[in-house]
């Protein structure tokens, strides 16, 4: 699935100022992929202030939520709702960190400042795993059950459009998308050597 | 012990049976034991094989666990995840050393060997055993034995998770001596790790000695066969299992598990040896037992056998003393009962066969057997023995005139007298009829003769029957062993001959003389010749004149038979007449004599010579039924009146069977024939009996006549006989006159006729007429001579009267 995941992008031509980009994600078998992250990274980084922090809880020896998508620079807290202690770690290059065994909520959240895929584990509970997709854009959304999602309010400009879910070990190459100006013409894109996405 | 006896048969049978049972039991037990042993050691090996497999897997699991522990190590994962090459290498080495690994590899998710403790810093290469990774991917871990860098290793692959799998740790452990030793300690089997390639076996590690290892590789067959091989010769037998462990290309890895069969069979061998000893012991015990049983059964049978042998030999006297409750006892009892019965019956049969029922004396058979036995013992002891054969003189007369019951009484009384007279040792037997025999086993001739005399004396005593005295005498013939004969038969025959001589001579007893026997022998040869004599006309009749003493005339002659034998010349009648009487041939002779005499009488009558002719008849002739008719026919034929023929019969002739003799004589007398009693005075005929007979004449026996000149007693007998005859109205004839003195005496005594050599010997018929003319002088003796004779004999009174 990871290898055959197709990203179907449907960009709807809209207003000159801002536009909504409708996207549908399918896999290699043309089946819709739910809960996939769809995000568009502007060519020109968008400056931002301090980002609100979020949290990944640990409940019944599992991370909740399983998959998180955050903008780079977001601090994530790792509360422990279990009555046992956990030791959260990541060896992923985007964010390497280790929280020593703890219970409750650590005092400092972890700042995810580099875009990339971060796989989280617990050092003493091998079955616990969670994914955090760190993106360098505020425009990201999760697909619905029908594999569709809409990126709303994209200012005109050039973007790299990508889709990802946790079966994928690495991010795909970006699909260039221009918002504003000429209308989008449909074309085929290859992702991981496969024709997967169609941008509208 | 002969093989065909019951005992040996039983012993052989029992021993064979027990032997077969023992051998069968042994064979069965041994087979079962051996099978059990083989199954057991086979099972043991199978168990060993399973233990080995289990141990091997445990070993792999243990190794995998070690690898897993290594792969889970946080720092290790961190080192790998953070991609610090040098750190990773050192971590692999460090952790590999912890679990005593030969090699540790890190294989990334693309199947590339990123790190290799044996090739630090080398460029990544594709992992050689992708299937191991694939297996680990699906099972979480994987193990296999492979060759890596010319080393046989047990490889274990486990994933490295951070927390997702980021690659594979492959740890290689050497398959080496410590492993083999460890497995041997667990399984109790010799363990060898061996590789095979192109039929060549190569030992990697083994608990066997170096020599044994070499033997093993040399003797293992091809790979496929090796998997099926169960036993191998090392050279001692080893049980064997070849367990495949893995393969790499054309190379096979196996573990060879083995152990010597002797180790496993040791306890069973001991069991078998015990079984053999036990079998031999019980066989020996059973042989002894069966022999004892066989002997126990056959001993009484042997005793029975002995008893039967005794009985077969005729000895029924010894009882069979086997007292048992079993069948043999019953058999013995029955056999003994039978033996007693047979003994009793034999006794009875013997009695019947060997005893005379009338007198209870031994019979002829017993006498013969006893005689034969006595002859044997006498021969051994060089002693003499004697037998008497005895015949009662007047028994026939008693029997015929007084009846058989009287006869039986006489025989019993004779038996009692003989038995009383003779010692116990002397065997008295009744041979049959009135014939008895006595066996005198010891003594000399003198004693024998005196014994004979005493018997004669004892039997001369009249036998009393219902107050009436019966007078029976006996004649005894005596034969002695060894002087008269050497065998029983001849001895009896000789005694018989002697007895006949005694009877003829009226001598009471006669000792056998070989001369009698030669006479008998001659008689035998005479039979044929006598027949020829009648047919060929060799017989002649001689005539001896009877002178009428009162007138000196001759009016009668006695016809005497003569045999002119062509070779022997004149045969005296004494040589063939007794024989003819004995054989019955006398009838033929008498017939011829009668015929010839009557013919001659007729001839002479026609010549005017009236000569009365006397013919001797024997006792047997009297038995001839048609004698009167025969004589009548002859008289008629030759024209002779009956009174011209006188028949002379001896006393003994009619004393044999007086009743019959009486009847015949009556018939002859009725014809008109004259009858004369010949040899009067020698028999024992009673006068009362003679008075009943129709006789005309008494003929005084020559024994008296020839001796009367010298013997006064004889003279008295002759005189009284003449007087007796005359008083009964009979003519009296004297024969045996040999001198003129006797002739003169007889005339003076008033005897009617005289006959003898003094007057004339018998002469042929043709000589008689001439003799008649020339003999007047002899016949008419001078009176002076007669007077002298009388004077010499002291009979003067008579001469005065004559």
């Amino acid at each position: 699935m990871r290898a055959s995941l197709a990203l179907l992008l449907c960009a709807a031509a809209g207003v000159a100022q801002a536009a909504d980009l409708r996207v549908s994600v399918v896999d290699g078998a043309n089946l819709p992929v739910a809960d996939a992250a769809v995000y568009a990274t502007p060519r020109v980084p968008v400056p931002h202030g301090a980002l609100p922090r979020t949290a990944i809880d640990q409940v019944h020896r599992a991370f909740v939520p399983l998959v998180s998508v955050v903008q780079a620079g977001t601090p994530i807290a790792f509360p422990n709702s279990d009555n046992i202690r956990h030791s959260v770690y990541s060896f992923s290059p985007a964010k390497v960190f280790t929280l020593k065994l703890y219970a409750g909520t650590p005092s400092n959240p972890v700042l995810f400042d580099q875009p990339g895929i971060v796989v989280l584990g617990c050092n003493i509970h091998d079955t616990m795993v969670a994914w955090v997709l760190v993106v360098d854009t505020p425009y990201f959304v999760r697909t619905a059950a029908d594999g569709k999602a809409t990126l709303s309010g994209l200012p005109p400009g050039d973007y790299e459009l990508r889709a990802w879910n946790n079966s994928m070990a690495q991010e795909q190459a970006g699909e260039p998308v221009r918002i504003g100006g000429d209308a989008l013409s449909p074309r085929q894109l290859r992702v991981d050597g496969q024709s997967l996405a169609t941008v509208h | 012990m002969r093989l065909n006896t019951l005992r040996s048969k039983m012993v052989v049978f029992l021993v064979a049976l027990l032997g077969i049972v023992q051998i069968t039991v042994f064979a069965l037990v041994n087979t079962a034991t051996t099978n059990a042993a083989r199954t057991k050691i086979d099972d043991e090996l199978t168990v060993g094989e399973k233990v080995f497999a289990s141990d091997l897997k445990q070993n792999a699991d243990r190794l995998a666990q070690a690898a897993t522990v290594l792969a889970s190590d946080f720092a290790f994962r961190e080192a790998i995840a953070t991609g610090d090459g040098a750190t990773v290498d050192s971590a692999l080495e460090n952790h590999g050393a912890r679990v005593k690994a030969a090699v540790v590899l890190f294989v990334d998710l693309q199947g590339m060997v990123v790190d290799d403790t044996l090739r630090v810093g080398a460029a990544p290469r594709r992992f050689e055993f992708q299937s191991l990774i694939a297996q680990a991917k699906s099972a979480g871990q994987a193990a296999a034995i492979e060759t890596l860098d010319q080393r046989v290793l047990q490889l274990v692959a486990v994933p490295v998770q951070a927390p997702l799998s980021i690659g594979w740790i492959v740890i290689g452990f050497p398959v080496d001596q410590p492993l083999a030793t460890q497995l041997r300690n667990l399984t109790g089997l010799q363990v060898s790790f061996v590789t095979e390639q192109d039929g060549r076996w190569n030992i990697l590690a083994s608990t066997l000695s170096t020599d044994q290892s070499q033997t093993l590789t040399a003797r293992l067959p091809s790979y496929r066969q090796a998997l099926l091989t169960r036993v191998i010769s090392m050279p001692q037998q080893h049980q064997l299992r070849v367990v495949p462990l893995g393969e790499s290309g054309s190379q096979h890895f196996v573990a060879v598990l083995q152990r010597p069969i002797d180790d496993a069979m040791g306890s069973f061998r001991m069991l078998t040896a015990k079984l053999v000893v036990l079998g031999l012991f019980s066989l020996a015990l059973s042989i002894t037992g069966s022999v004892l049983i066989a002997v126990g059964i056959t001993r009484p049978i042997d005793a029975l056998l002995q008893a039967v042998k005794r009985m077969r030999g005729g000895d029924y006297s010894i009882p069979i003393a086997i007292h048992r409750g079993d069948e043999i006892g019953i058999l013995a009892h029955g056999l003994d009962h039978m033996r007693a019965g047979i003994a009793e019956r034999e006794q009875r049969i013997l009695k019947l066969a060997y005893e005379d029922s009338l007198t209870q004396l031994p019979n002829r058979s017993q006498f013969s057997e006893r005689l034969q036995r006595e002859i044997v013992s006498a021969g051994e002891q060089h002693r003499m023995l004697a037998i008497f054969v005895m015949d009662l003189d007047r028994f026939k007369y008693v029997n015929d005139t007084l009846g058989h019951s009287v006869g039986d009484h006489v025989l019993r009384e004779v038996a009692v007298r003989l038995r009383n007279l003779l010692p116990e040792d002397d065997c008295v037997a009744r041979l049959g009829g009135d014939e008895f025999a006595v066996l005198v086993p010891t003594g000399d001739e003198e004693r024998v003769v005196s014994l004979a005399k005493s018997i004669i004396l004892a039997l001369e005593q009249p036998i009393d029957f219902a107050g009436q005295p019966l007078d029976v005498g006996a004649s005894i013939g005596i034969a002695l062993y060894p002087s008269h004969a050497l065998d029983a038969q001849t001895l009896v025959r000789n005694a018989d001959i002697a007895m006949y001589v005694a009877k003829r001579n009226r001598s009471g007893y006669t000792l056998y003389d070989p001369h009698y026997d030669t006479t008998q022998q001659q008689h035998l040869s005479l039979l044929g010749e006598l027949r020829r004599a009648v047919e060929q006309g060799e017989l002649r009749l001689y005539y001896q004149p009877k002178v009428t003493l009162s007138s000196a005339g001759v009016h009668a002659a006695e016809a005497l038979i003569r045999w002119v034998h062509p070779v022997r010349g004149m045969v005296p009648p004494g040589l063939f007449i007794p024989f003819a009487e004995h054989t019955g041939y006398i009838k033929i002779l008498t017939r011829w004599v009668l015929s010839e005499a009557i013919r001659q009488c007729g001839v002479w009558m026609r010549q005017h010579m009236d000569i009365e002719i006397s013919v001797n008849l024997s006792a047997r002739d009297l038995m001839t039924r048609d004698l009167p008719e025969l004589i009548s026919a002859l008289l008629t034929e030759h024209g002779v009146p009956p009174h011209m023929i006188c028949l002379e019969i001896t006393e003994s002739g009619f004393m044999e069977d007086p009743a019959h003799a009486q009847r015949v004589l009556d018939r002859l007398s009725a014809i008109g024939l004259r009858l004369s009693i010949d040899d009067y005075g020698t028999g024992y005929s009673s006068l009362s009996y003679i008075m009943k007979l129709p006789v005309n004449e008494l003929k005084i026996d020559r024994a008296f006549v020839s001796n009367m000149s010298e013997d006064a007693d004889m003279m008295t007998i002759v005189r009284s006989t003449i007087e007796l005859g005359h008083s009964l109205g009979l003519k009296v004839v004297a024969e045996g006159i040999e001198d003129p003195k006797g002739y003169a005496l007889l005339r003076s005594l008033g005897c009617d006729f005289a006959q003898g050599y003094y007057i004339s010997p018998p002469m042929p018929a043709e000589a008689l007429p001439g003799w008649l003319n020339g003999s007047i002088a002899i016949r008419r003796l001078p009176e002076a001579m007669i007077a002298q004779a009388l004077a010499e004999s002291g009979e003067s009174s008579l001469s005065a009267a004559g």
Side-chain angles (χ1 to χ4, degrees):
Chain A
M1 171 123 170
R2 179 193 61 189
S4 60
L5 181 70
L7 184 63
L8 188 66
L9 300 175
C10 295
V15 294
Q17 279 301 310
D20 291 344
L21 188 61
R22 287 195 299 275
V23 179
S24 64
V25 179
V26 296
D27 63 11
N30 278 336
L31 294 175
V33 178
D35 216 25
V38 176
Y39 56 101
T41 309
R43 285 276 169 85
V44 180
V46 180
H48 61 83
L51 293 171
R53 78 183 205 185
T54 184
I56 295 173
D57 201 354
Q58 292 153 83
V59 182
H60 301 315
R61 299 187 192 182
F63 291 107
V64 180
L66 184 64
V67 177
S68 305
V69 184
V70 297
Q71 186 177 359
T74 302
I76 298 177
F78 290 92
N80 181 359
S81 300
D82 283 339
N83 55 358
I84 55 170
R85 297 197 287 181
H86 291 290
S87 171
V88 183
Y89 72 91
S90 165
F91 297 140
S92 302
K95 184 63 186 180
V96 177
F97 73 94
T98 304
L99 298 178
K100 300 294 180 192
L101 278 173
Y102 68 94
T105 306
S107 51
N108 297 320
V110 178
L111 181 68
F112 286 75
D113 46 359
Q114 294 289 320
I117 299 163
V118 178
V119 181
L120 302 176
C122 173
N123 196 18
I124 58 171
H125 299 110
D126 286 351
T127 54
M128 291 172 67
V129 65
W131 286 266
V132 178
L133 177 67
V134 183
V135 295
D136 198 13
T137 175
Y139 311 114
F140 56 87
V141 73
R142 307 286 286 273
T143 57
D146 60 358
K148 291 181 175 156
T150 302
L151 288 168
S152 308
L154 292 177
D158 291 328
Y159 296 83
E160 295 274 335
L161 184 66
R162 291 184 177 84
W164 175 89
N165 84 345
N166 65 347
S167 66
M168 296 170 65
Q170 287 174 324
E171 289 175 273
Q172 290 181 311
E175 179 76 19
V177 174
R178 172 166 290 182
I179 301 295
D182 299 336
L184 289 172
S185 58
R187 52 183 157 161
Q188 284 195 324
L189 291 174
R190 289 189 180 277
V191 178
D192 282 343
Q194 293 178 46
S195 171
L196 291 174
T198 301
V199 177
H200 299 282
Chain B
M1 185 158 65
R2 296 210 323 276
L3 208 63
N4 57 357
T5 65
L6 190 59
R7 182 186 309 175
S8 54
K9 276 179 186 166
M10 283 176 69
V11 169
V12 167
F13 174 73
L14 285 172
V15 168
L17 192 68
L18 291 167
I20 288 166
V21 169
Q22 291 286 352
I23 289 165
T24 308
V25 166
F26 174 74
L28 286 175
V29 171
N30 194 41
T31 306
T33 308
T34 308
N35 285 345
R38 288 208 180 270
T39 307
K40 179 174 171 277
I41 61 174
D42 208 49
D43 287 350
E44 280 176 1
L45 207 65
T46 305
V47 168
E49 187 183 353
K50 283 178 181 161
V51 169
F52 175 81
S54 162
D55 286 348
L56 204 62
K57 186 172 181 303
Q58 275 179 20
N59 196 46
D61 287 348
R62 192 172 52 78
L63 297 178
Q65 211 160 4
T68 305
V69 167
L70 173 60
S72 307
D73 186 88
F74 186 74
F76 178 75
R77 281 189 293 173
E78 188 174 14
I80 288 179
T82 52
D84 182 352
T87 310
V88 170
D89 281 340
S90 63
L92 289 179
E93 269 179 28
N94 181 57
H95 286 79
R98 280 192 201 166
V99 294
K100 298 188 174 64
V103 62
V104 183
L105 307 176
F106 178 72
V107 180
D108 67 11
L109 292 176
Q110 281 69 48
M112 301 299 285
V113 178
V114 181
D115 291 287
D116 182 348
T117 54
L118 295 178
R119 291 187 186 79
V120 178
R125 70 173 194 277
R126 187 163 178 77
F127 184 52
E128 293 88 340
F129 314 110
Q130 289 298 328
S131 60
L132 190 69
I133 300 299
Q135 197 186 340
K137 207 180 276 180
S138 60
Q141 66 180 56
I145 292 180
E146 301 289 356
T147 309
L148 190 66
D149 297 331
Q150 277 100 43
R151 296 177 68 189
V152 176
L153 299 173
Q154 186 167 25
L155 296 181
V156 178
V158 294
V160 180
Q161 290 174 315
L164 296 178
S165 295
I166 54 170
W168 310 94
I169 291 290
V170 177
I171 308 179
F173 297 94
V175 175
D176 57 5
Q177 193 69 32
L179 180 62
T181 306
Q182 178 197 340
L183 289 168
R184 185 193 66 187
N185 293 341
L186 286 168
T187 58
L189 303 172
Q190 297 288 351
V191 177
S192 306
F193 293 107
V194 190
T195 62
E196 186 269 351
Q197 191 159 27
D198 304 327
R200 288 184 59 248
W201 297 90
N202 186 31
I203 295 276
L204 299 173
S206 178
T207 54
L208 293 170
S209 67
T210 313
D211 287 349
Q212 293 236 302
S213 299
Q214 283 169 358
T215 309
L216 180 64
T217 52
R219 300 206 173 181
L220 275 172
S222 69
Y223 176 70
R224 292 199 173 281
Q225 280 181 307
L227 293 181
L228 302 172
T229 302
R230 290 288 178 271
V231 175
I232 195 164
S233 176
M234 295 287 292
Q236 69 269 43
Q237 297 288 98
H238 277 224
Q239 276 192 306
L240 177 105
R241 287 282 193 286
V242 175
V243 183
L245 299 177
E247 58 185 44
S248 165
S250 61
Q251 194 174 28
H252 297 100
F253 308 110
V254 298
V256 175
L257 311 178
Q258 65 190 82
R259 71 163 170 183
I261 289 180
D262 280 354
D263 287 1
M265 292 295 285
S267 58
F268 290 103
R269 294 258 159 77
M270 185 77 97
L271 189 66
T272 305
K274 279 179 184 167
L275 209 61
V276 167
V277 169
L278 197 69
L280 289 176
F281 177 70
S282 64
L283 191 63
L285 208 65
S286 58
I287 287 171
T288 311
S290 63
V291 168
L292 287 178
I293 289 168
V295 168
I297 290 173
T298 56
R299 182 177 294 137
I301 291 180
D302 281 348
L304 276 183
L305 214 60
Q306 292 304 318
V308 170
K309 266 186 192 162
R310 279 201 304 274
M311 286 197 268
R312 197 173 55 200
D315 179 5
Y316 296 97
S317 59
I318 303 172
I320 303 165
I322 299 172
H323 303 292
R324 294 163 67 103
D326 59 9
E327 290 87 338
I328 290 169
I330 294 167
L331 183 64
H333 182 73
L335 206 60
D336 193 49
H337 202 68
M338 213 158 81
R339 176 203 62 79
I342 290 171
E344 191 190 306
R345 280 193 290 282
E346 194 190 44
Q347 210 58 39
R348 253 193 354 244
I349 290 166
L350 272 179
K351 206 168 162 174
L352 285 174
Y354 287 110
E355 196 180 278
D356 174 47
S357 56
L358 181 65
T359 60
Q360 267 80 53
L361 289 178
N363 63 5
R364 183 186 287 275
S365 302
Q366 191 181 348
F367 181 78
S368 298
E369 284 184 15
R370 172 84 188 271
L371 178 57
Q372 264 159 13
R373 286 202 302 275
E374 290 292 344
I375 283 174
V376 170
S377 76
E380 284 165 357
Q381 296 165 21
H382 301 291
R383 61 176 163 80
M384 192 197 93
L385 71 80
I387 62 163
F388 298 169
V389 169
M390 189 182 83
D391 194 272
L392 300 185
D393 286 336
R394 282 172 293 279
F395 177 72
K396 189 97 177 163
Y397 170 69
V398 170
N399 216 17
D400 286 348
T401 54
L402 302 174
H404 286 288
S405 58
V406 181
D408 288 350
H409 175 77
V410 168
L411 290 172
R412 276 196 292 268
E413 179 60 25
V414 168
V416 169
R417 286 188 190 182
L418 288 173
R419 196 61 274 172
N420 290 343
L421 188 68
L422 295 163
E424 196 67 27
D425 280 353
D426 298 0
C427 172
V428 182
R430 183 181 169 217
L431 300 185
D434 58 345
E435 205 174 26
F436 291 83
V438 177
L439 170 62
V440 184
T442 52
D444 53 12
E445 195 173 320
E446 200 175 321
R447 185 201 162 216
V448 167
V449 167
S450 79
L451 201 60
K453 278 179 182 167
S454 62
I455 290 172
I456 298 288
L457 209 62
L459 295 183
E460 272 175 3
Q461 301 296 316
I463 292 167
D464 183 75
F465 181 76
Q468 183 184 348
L470 299 173
D471 188 22
V472 290
S475 298
I476 297 175
I478 304 170
L480 303 175
Y481 170 89
S483 44
H484 293 158
L486 293 173
D487 66 285
Q489 209 180 347
T490 315
L491 204 61
V492 171
R493 198 198 62 171
N494 290 349
D496 219 29
I497 290 167
M499 189 267 286
Y500 277 109
V501 172
K503 212 169 186 67
R504 200 161 59 234
N505 297 346
R506 298 176 182 88
S507 53
Y509 69 90
T510 298
L511 203 58
Y512 173 77
D513 188 305
H515 169 69
Y516 302 145
D517 199 34
T518 54
T519 311
Q520 293 268 334
Q521 295 295 337
Q522 285 176 354
H523 285 173
L524 279 174
S525 66
L526 276 176
L527 181 62
E529 297 184 38
L530 200 54
R531 282 215 178 88
R532 200 191 60 209
V534 175
E535 289 159 10
Q536 309 269 323
E538 292 171 11
L539 298 178
R540 301 279 184 277
L541 274 188
Y542 275 36
Y543 298 91
Q544 189 172 37
K546 285 178 175 173
V547 175
T548 309
L549 287 170
S550 58
S551 64
V554 175
H555 302 289
E558 184 178 0
L560 296 163
I561 196 165
R562 291 293 180 269
W563 181 5
V564 185
H565 194 278
V567 179
R568 303 188 200 181
M570 191 69 81
V571 179
L575 283 186
F576 67 92
I577 291 301
F579 169 70
E581 282 179 344
H582 190 65
T583 57
Y585 204 71
I586 193 72
K587 290 179 189 174
I588 310 289
L589 293 182
T590 302
R591 197 172 287 228
W592 180 84
V593 170
L594 280 169
S595 168
E596 178 60 23
I598 291 169
R599 187 194 64 77
Q600 186 63 52
C601 185
V603 168
W604 279 333
M605 278 178 70
R606 283 188 285 279
Q607 294 171 3
H608 306 290
M609 268 173 61
D610 287 355
I611 304 291
E612 179 196 297
I613 297 178
S614 293
V615 175
N616 289 291
L617 289 189
S618 75
R620 277 186 182 270
D621 291 326
L622 289 181
M623 297 297 178
T624 315
R625 277 187 187 285
D626 59 352
L627 187 68
E629 287 77 11
L630 174 74
I631 295 172
S632 293
L634 287 170
L635 291 173
T636 310
E637 185 189 340
H638 298 291
V640 175
H643 66 84
M644 292 302 285
I645 301 297
C646 177
L647 301 176
E648 293 189 5
I649 303 145
T650 60
E651 270 184 281
S652 61
F654 50 78
M655 289 309 285
E656 287 290 321
D657 189 353
H660 182 76
Q662 172 97 49
R663 286 194 296 276
V664 175
L665 291 180
D666 283 346
R667 287 172 64 197
L668 293 171
S669 178
I671 291 168
L673 296 164
R674 292 172 60 78
L675 298 174
S676 171
I677 293 177
D678 202 0
D679 300 340
Y680 182 78
T682 55
Y684 297 86
S685 33
S686 68
L687 274 173
S688 64
Y689 177 66
I690 288 173
M691 278 170 67
K692 291 183 193 169
L693 297 175
V695 294
N696 310 97
E697 193 180 274
L698 279 183
K699 207 166 181 181
I700 304 170
D701 193 83
R702 69 177 70 240
F704 303 115
V705 176
S706 54
N707 293 326
M708 74 180 171
S709 308
E710 283 80 36
D711 191 329
D713 289 345
M714 294 294 175
M715 182 72 161
T716 309
I717 289 169
V718 171
R719 186 201 298 133
S720 58
T721 303
I722 291 167
E723 285 169 1
L724 176 72
H726 285 167
S727 68
L728 289 172
L730 303 175
K731 296 291 182 190
V732 179
V733 183
E735 59 180 334
I737 295 156
E738 290 167 359
D739 51 33
K741 191 176 172 183
Y743 185 75
L745 265 174
L746 285 169
R747 206 176 92 179
S748 67
L749 290 173
C751 187
D752 299 294
F753 303 101
Q755 185 183 342
Y757 269 64
Y758 167 69
I759 298 158
S760 170
M763 66 189 89
E766 54 272 20
L768 191 71
W771 179 82
L772 283 174
N773 294 331
S775 63
I776 298 298
I778 297 167
R779 284 181 275 155
R780 291 188 179 165
L781 278 173
E783 289 300 321
M785 192 172 174
I786 294 167
Q788 189 191 346
L790 288 171
E792 283 176 13
S793 61
E795 295 287 331
S796 52
S797 59
L798 271 179
S799 78

